[in-house]
Amino acid sequence: MTDAAAPDPTEARPARGRKPGGGREARRRDRSAPQTGGRVPYIVRGIPTYDVLGEENLLRIEAAADRILAETGIDFRDDPEALELWRRAGAEVQGVRVRFPPGMLREIVKTAPAEFTQHARNPANNVRIGGRNVVFAPAYGSPFVMDLDRGRRFGTLQDFENFIKLAQSSPWFHHSGGTICEPTDVPVNKRHLDMVYAHVRYSDRAFLGSVTAAERAADSVAMARIVFGTDFADQNCVIMGNFNVNSPLVWDGTMTRGMREYARAGQGTVLVPFILGGAMGPVTSAGAIAQSLAETLAGCALTQLERTGAPVVFGNFLSSMSLRSGSPTFGTPEPAIGSMVIGQLARRLNLPLRCSGNFTTSKLPDAQAMMEGTMSMLAAVHCGANYILHSAGFLDGLLSMSYEKFMLDADLCGALHSYLKGVQVDDDQLAVDAFAEVGPGSHFFGCAHTMAHYETAFWDSELSDNEPFEKWEANGAADAATRANRLWKKRLGEYEPPPLDAGIDDGLRDFIARRKAAVPDMWY
């Protein structure tokens, strides 16, 4: 895979001028414009990752994963071609059960890139995945959507498009994501075409394609080729798919055929176990981590057997459950600290990492939602995650995509941009001359150093209310969720689609029309 210069499917876009007015509101307007201000295509972390286990314990987890792989094995169901790939690679194949000699999978994944570029149709928005890079993408997969006005309801294509527009309008996201919510008003076997088109039409950032069937994965890749050109797409990552293990220890054919479709085309795969401790894995963190390592490592290796050097992201989704009720729980401390260990293991494999996200079981965009979400997002940034899916909107244990939570989480992502920069130390930042100017007992409000930095010194929240109580009360005493409700409506009202080449648009529409006409509608 090479990182060549992408053909630019956008037209030249004039820079947005600064509107009349100044101060805080003007800075907020600048931040809302994706092509201006301090927006970056992705974050390069300025702080180190956080390691919680020493070498001895990491070796013990790796040894446990090796035993699971060699003694118990993993089922690869409904995919004879995958079984044949394993047989030729030297694994032991008995029916659909595959067992792996210790060290075999680690050797195979050495051909996967440690870092790669996913190209966007606007080259300024290309993302670099791996290394010290961090990419934020919205939440993924909710059948329901929710807002303060209409409550909880099934998602529609309009909701799906709205969330793409909201992500595109925010400087704090770097990736358009994938199935942000299920558009349940479109047939199951055709909605992937509308979703991929919506990502291309309403965003100019990188995106995920469909994974729910091999033919839908193939359609997603074909549409990406229309956008980027076949030759360029064959040599570069222009689309990715997010695939889940059927934990415990099952890769089903729907997933493996789809991920092989992406890998065969040289496109990216994000491979993720979804382990609820006590249900699909052990209740103990160490056991769930060993299971996760075994399952993900097997998937990553399969992509390399399909096409050597295909980009793959080592994924992980640890979660817990209420052992009294059997209900899943999200944003809890045990999976958060477990993510730290997963980060260490991924770095030892030299693979890019998707880990953790903004998780919560709360049914409203409330204090529980923000507490749980912040815990799991901090775990993601500290464990070294490179691609953070579920960065915004996740509510109700991922069953609901919330408009208000999306805006609150976008604000948190903005704060994390500043947090991940770390602390810069140079003569200007040390401000020794400012101390000489101000002297003892005075203040720094009007000194030259403050005036030079006041617009950029601190991250400025779009949703927090920092006014005195009396002013907040006089302005309506709105809580954070109410302010978020107003903001998402404002963003959608101001949204302007990024330009798209007319020939590409026509090509996509023609492809969609032909594919939809070829098969009858399916609703389940």
Side-chain angles (χ1 to χ4, degrees), residues 268-349:
T269 50
V270 186
L271 308 183
V272 190
F274 184 1
I275 300 174
L276 287 174
M280 289 98 83
V283 294
T284 52
S285 292
I289 291 166
Q291 174 188 342
S292 175
L293 175 59
E295 292 175 341
T296 312
L297 192 52
C300 292
L302 183 59
T303 68
Q304 299 308 294
L305 297 181
E306 184 64 45
R307 177 165 169 169
T308 301
V312 61
V313 177
F314 185 98
N316 179 75
F317 194 123
L318 295 175
S319 195
S320 53
M321 63 184 297
S322 171
L323 297 177
R324 288 186 293 272
S325 68
S327 298
T329 52
F330 295 93
T332 50
E334 293 84 4
I337 198 66
S339 295
M340 303 292 191
V341 181
I342 294 291
Q344 292 182 265
L345 295 169
R347 286 190 290 279
R348 289 159 74 88
L349 292 168

Side-chain angles (χ1 to χ4, degrees), residues 123-311:
N125 293 331
N126 293 349
V127 291
R128 191 76 178 158
I129 298 176
R132 293 169 53 218
N133 309 309
V134 183
V135 173
F136 290 154
Y140 181 109
S142 300
F144 299 101
V145 298
M146 185 185 297
D147 63 57
L148 296 184
D149 304 297
R150 291 182 288 169
R152 188 176 189 253
R153 61 196 185 278
F154 280 107
T156 66
L157 183 59
Q158 182 178 359
D159 290 309
F160 184 88
E161 292 171 350
N162 282 347
F163 282 115
I164 292 174
K165 294 173 183 178
L166 290 173
Q168 171 73 11
S169 299
S170 171
W172 307 129
F173 302 113
H174 317 108
H175 197 278
S176 195
T179 306
I180 303 181
C181 68
E182 281 286 347
T184 60
D185 56 338
V186 182
V188 170
N189 62 331
K190 297 179 180 180
R191 64 182 60 158
H192 66 286
L193 299 165
D194 295 302
M195 288 191 286
V196 171
Y197 178 75
H199 279 296
V200 175
R201 182 65 189 90
Y202 299 113
S203 173
D204 59 2
R205 297 176 184 171
F207 60 92
L208 300 173
S210 179
V211 301
T212 52
E215 62 271 19
R216 297 169 200 168
D219 284 345
S220 300
V221 172
M223 292 176 74
R225 286 173 173 151
I226 293 171
V227 176
F228 290 90
T230 300
D231 291 342
F232 184 84
D234 187 58
Q235 296 299 317
N236 297 277
C237 178
V238 297
I239 189 171
M240 296 198 300
N242 184 75
F243 295 87
N244 286 111
V245 185
N246 246 2
S247 301
L249 306 177
V250 174
W251 275 103
D252 72 82
T254 300
M255 293 291 98
T256 57
R257 289 194 300 271
M259 69 198 220
R260 290 193 300 105
E261 190 75 46
Y262 277 85
R264 189 182 312 122
Q267 301 310 306
T269 50
V270 186
L271 308 183
V272 190
F274 184 1
I275 300 174
L276 287 174
M280 289 98 83
V283 294
T284 52
S285 292
I289 291 166
Q291 174 188 342
S292 175
L293 175 59
E295 292 175 341
T296 312
L297 192 52
C300 292
L302 183 59
T303 68
Q304 299 308 294
L305 297 181
E306 184 64 45
R307 177 165 169 169
T308 301

Side-chain angles (χ1 to χ4, degrees), residues 12-63:
R13 186 175 189 178
R16 294 176 184 240
R18 191 179 180 94
K19 296 179 182 179
R24 188 173 186 179
E25 287 304 313
R27 293 197 300 278
R28 284 180 174 175
R29 283 194 296 268
D30 281 351
R31 283 200 307 272
S32 72
Q35 303 299 325
T36 63
R39 199 189 79 77
V40 294
Y42 54 89
I43 299 169
V44 179
R45 65 166 53 243
I47 62 174
T49 55
Y50 190 79
D51 296 341
V52 299
L53 290 186
E55 180 69 13
E56 179 181 354
N57 284 326
L58 292 172
L59 287 171
R60 291 187 70 181
I61 290 174
E62 290 172 339

Side-chain angles (χ1 to χ4, degrees), residues 76-83 96 251-254 256-257 260:
F76 285 80
R77 299 178 183 173
D78 302 319
D79 190 351
E81 292 180 33
L83 294 173
V96 298
W251 275 103
D252 72 82
T254 300
T256 57
R257 289 194 300 271
R260 290 193 300 105

